[in-house]
Amino acid sequence: MNTYSTADVARRIGVHKMTLLKWLWANKIPEPPHQTIGGQDIRLWSDSDLEQARKYKQSNYCKGRGRKKKAV
């Protein structure tokens, strides 16, 4: 099983790290497990966590404005 940092996940799905953190803080995507390494509390994202973030982005994110896509 692969693990990723928050910055890695943001880069892989194509959003800024702060955008991803805002989604976490607003409970729009589930919080991945935390681990303390070298005194730093970090999130360890799994492949399934990454996929959930990617699915949320596809259905709710419009680049540039950060707003939900309008129905056509």
Side-chain angles (χ1 to χ4, degrees), residues 39-58:
Q40 295 271 325
D41 189 38
I42 62 168
R43 292 174 183 86
L44 293 177
W45 296 74
S46 66
D47 290 325
S48 62
D49 295 328
L50 175 90
E51 192 56 36
Q52 286 179 335
R54 181 176 285 130
K55 285 180 183 178
Y56 179 80
K57 180 195 175 206
Q58 287 175 348

Side-chain angles (χ1 to χ4, degrees), residues 14-40:
V15 297
H16 194 275
K17 179 182 171 184
M18 285 307 299
T19 301
L20 188 57
L21 290 172
K22 287 178 185 179
W23 291 349
L24 287 170
W25 297 330
N27 294 320
K28 294 181 178 184
I29 55 176
E31 185 82 25
H34 290 243
Q35 185 174 3
T36 303
I37 299 175
Q40 295 271 325

Side-chain angles (χ1 to χ4, degrees), residues 5-17 20 50 54:
S5 70
T6 303
D8 288 337
V9 172
R11 192 174 20 257
R12 286 176 182 267
I13 67 173
V15 297
H16 194 275
K17 179 182 171 184
L20 188 57
L50 175 90
R54 181 176 285 130

